[in-house]
Amino acid sequence: MTRSTKSRQIKQSRQIKLGAFLPGGGQHIAAWRHPEAPADGATSFEFHKQLALTAERGLFDAYFLADNLTVGLGAREGGNAKIAGFEPVTLFAALAPLTTHLGFIATASTTYEEPYTLARKFASLDHLSNGRAGWNVVTSAGDETARNFNRDTQPAHAERYARAHEHVETVKARWDSWEDDAFIRDKKSGRFYDKDKLHDIDHKGAHFSVKGPLNVPRPVQGHPVVVQAGQSEDGRKLAAASAEVIFTAHQNLASAQEFYRDIKARVTAVGRDPEQVLIMPGVAPFVGRTEEEARAKYQQLNDLILPEDGVALLNGLAGQTLDIRGYPLDGPLPPSKETEGMKSRQALIRQIADEHNFTIRQLYQWVATARGHYTVIGSATQVADQLEEWFGNEAADGFNILPPWLPGGLDDFVELVIPELQRRGLFRTAYEGRTLRENLGLRRPENPWTAARSAVLAAE
């Protein structure tokens, strides 16, 4: 009996959850140069529509988008399609009516957005999509970003996360301003809503002072699904306190298992249900009908990388502190100082270079696809084997799939890998519900005001 067979028998009731991370310009920094990719994919609504429909045909749980508040990580220096694109919530509001089951997880910053406006736009997206919205909670790093928001330098790492903790709790309180049945809309009596079921929040904290209530009804899902993507110590604390889905980056099974077990233990320690927190590492798959075909696809994209783009990418991932201009591309990566930026990603890039003894050129070729997320190259069977190994061995509850180029990378996964996962009983053959929460198996949060009223009535 193989290891994968054992894992299927032990965990046969579980199924893999899948997000599709689909920036229109592709994940790989040279993706837009691929002969099958539209050069304007990053800013083509019709192309994003095509991607959303393909993801729904593949039964993905959600369409996920990251976001930058500048012209893009390492993009200014070269020909990177990430230099410009759509604001995610706006894009998803337009895509939602064109789909039925696919969730939409948009990134929004706790560092530079106010809780009230953020709560309002995600509540609106949840209503517009009939309960398919998710918020990817991030803190925003980089002095370049700070200079777009009335600051000369970025806030310190610890300060960003302290603000994020308060921000998330403030947003959740906004979503609970209205109880679910607050709106009566009785034309005969003239009562539009029940005044006893509308609540001020009157939040006053270290970072925010917000009276409320929100001027949008309670979201369809109660709360849009809260997603978090950070794995530093501060990031892990935030995830344990508030996240329901965690997007994370790992290069091997052991690292993913350490993170998975640590987060589940932290979630339990703060009194939350670990089964209600899904950990979904990022995976960038190059899929072929044979391993040789998959490796040819990998090499085809890497051959399109301009060296200056690869160097710019490494510098961006290192917090703009790694000036390797003038260093030989076929020599080792020079040291860099730690910054207040993306500390976990900086450490991961250094780890990849050291573990593989990569030259500068080899390093940027490796991270060009997924910037530190796990890259898998092989046939559908080989890719499914890797996903099953992580899923069956306490490393993942699902995966955020990062197709290297579009639409081909997504098409390959839907047409080759999804059927193989379904054959193994590891992935759905139909959506379980209509909301993102239902498909992810996450409970709908109870409104605390309603719960308190019910408790009083039960005690009488």
Side-chain angles (χ1 to χ4, degrees):
M1 184 182 293
T2 66
R3 174 194 279 181
S4 64
T5 301
K6 289 180 181 178
S7 69
R8 284 202 298 275
Q9 290 181 347
I10 293 169
K11 300 290 188 179
Q12 59 184 334
S13 63
R14 295 173 67 226
Q15 287 194 319
I16 289 173
K17 304 302 180 183
L18 290 177
F21 190 169
L22 305 173
Q27 292 289 348
H28 193 285
I29 62 171
W32 71 275
R33 300 185 68 202
H34 192 284
E36 298 174 6
D40 66 344
T43 51
S44 166
F45 176 73
E46 287 301 316
F47 188 53
H48 284 87
K49 173 184 172 181
Q50 174 188 339
L51 298 177
L53 294 175
T54 301
E56 186 160 76
R57 175 167 58 86
L59 304 177
F60 276 85
D61 288 275
Y63 187 152
F64 177 97
L65 273 182
D67 195 26
N68 288 312
L69 298 176
T70 66
V71 294
L73 182 65
R76 184 188 290 273
E77 294 90 337
N80 187 334
K82 293 182 183 298
I83 197 165
F86 295 127
E87 190 281 314
V89 174
T90 307
L91 173 63
F92 287 160
L95 290 174
L98 307 178
T99 54
T100 305
H101 294 91
L102 184 68
F104 294 100
I105 299 174
T107 297
S109 172
T110 61
T111 307
Y112 297 113
E113 294 204 43
E114 288 294 317
Y116 191 93
T117 51
L118 189 148
R120 188 172 185 242
K121 69 181 181 180
F122 276 91
S124 296
L125 179 60
D126 205 50
H127 283 285
L128 291 169
S129 64
N130 293 315
R132 292 182 284 139
W135 170 31
N136 179 40
V137 178
V138 299
T139 69
S140 297
D143 293 341
E144 185 176 4
T145 301
R147 287 190 285 271
N148 286 336
F149 293 90
N150 300 309
R151 294 182 65 116
D152 293 326
T153 59
Q154 64 185 313
H157 190 270
E159 179 186 344
R160 293 203 311 273
Y161 274 93
R163 176 183 165 104
H165 277 276
E166 186 181 338
H167 193 294
V168 173
E169 293 310 309
T170 307
V171 167
K172 289 181 177 179
R174 298 287 83 70
W175 289 332
D176 289 329
S177 298
W178 296 92
E179 296 183 49
D180 290 310
D181 58 351
F183 288 92
I184 302 168
R185 300 186 179 97
D186 183 350
K187 292 185 177 181
K188 185 175 181 179
S189 69
R191 291 186 70 205
F192 192 76
Y193 71 97
D194 184 340
K195 294 181 180 180
D196 292 334
K197 295 184 178 181
L198 170 63
H199 305 279
D200 290 344
I201 305 304
D202 290 325
H203 172 85
K204 294 187 184 298
H207 299 275
F208 304 106
S209 176
V210 186
K211 178 176 175 54
L214 195 65
N215 60 344
V216 179
R218 193 167 194 244
V220 175
Q221 298 181 99
H223 298 169
V225 175
V226 176
V227 183
Q228 191 262 354
Q231 56 199 63
S232 65
E233 177 61 23
D234 287 331
R236 294 184 189 214
K237 289 178 181 177
L238 179 61
S242 58
E244 297 171 289
V245 176
I246 300 170
F247 180 31
T248 180
H250 298 281
Q251 287 290 301
N252 55 63
L253 176 64
S255 171
Q257 287 174 319
E258 182 280 326
F259 182 85
Y260 185 97
R261 292 164 180 165
D262 178 62
I263 291 295
K264 296 286 186 174
R266 290 173 187 249
V267 167
T268 301
V270 298
R272 300 179 64 208
D273 181 357
E275 297 296 321
Q276 290 290 299
V277 178
L278 305 177
I279 297 173
M280 299 175 63
V283 175
F286 287 85
V287 189
R289 286 170 176 79
T290 64
E291 181 179 349
E292 292 72 23
E293 181 183 308
R295 292 198 175 277
K297 292 177 179 180
Y298 175 75
Q299 192 58 50
Q300 179 186 22
L301 267 183
N302 277 347
D303 288 345
L304 296 174
I305 302 173
L306 300 178
E308 57 266 34
D309 289 355
V311 169
L313 175 65
L314 293 181
N315 187 36
L317 290 169
Q320 306 295 339
T321 65
L322 187 62
D323 188 356
I324 52 180
R325 291 170 297 182
Y327 284 86
L329 295 183
D330 295 311
L333 185 72
S336 62
K337 65 181 181 179
E338 187 181 74
T339 75
E340 289 294 338
M342 299 182 297
K343 291 188 176 184
S344 60
R345 193 55 54 88
Q346 292 172 35
L348 183 59
I349 296 305
R350 177 63 59 180
Q351 173 194 333
I352 293 169
D354 292 345
E355 285 185 357
H356 296 277
N357 197 29
F358 277 158
T359 65
I360 292 173
R361 190 192 310 275
Q362 289 170 325
L363 179 61
Y364 73 58
Q365 287 178 339
W366 186 251
V367 301
T369 298
R371 295 158 304 286
H373 292 285
Y374 188 40
T375 299
V376 182
I377 306 169
S379 66
T381 299
Q382 290 172 312
V383 172
D385 283 345
Q386 291 292 305
L387 300 184
E388 183 172 3
E389 182 180 26
W390 285 36
F391 179 68
N393 290 282
E394 293 190 324
D397 297 307
F399 302 92
N400 217 6
I401 301 301
L402 294 76
W405 82 101
L406 294 166
L410 178 62
D411 292 338
D412 286 345
F413 195 88
V414 169
E415 293 166 10
L416 299 175
V417 180
I418 292 291
E420 177 62 22
L421 294 175
Q422 291 170 329
R423 186 186 68 78
R424 302 181 188 198
L426 290 170
F427 190 63
R428 64 168 63 93
T429 55
Y431 283 105
E432 297 83 1
R434 291 294 297 271
T435 72
L436 179 56
R437 284 187 176 278
E438 289 170 341
N439 290 322
L440 289 172
L442 297 173
R443 290 190 289 268
R444 187 179 188 274
E446 185 176 17
N447 187 293
W449 302 98
T450 306
R453 181 183 293 105
S454 297
V456 170
L457 292 175
E460 291 177 352

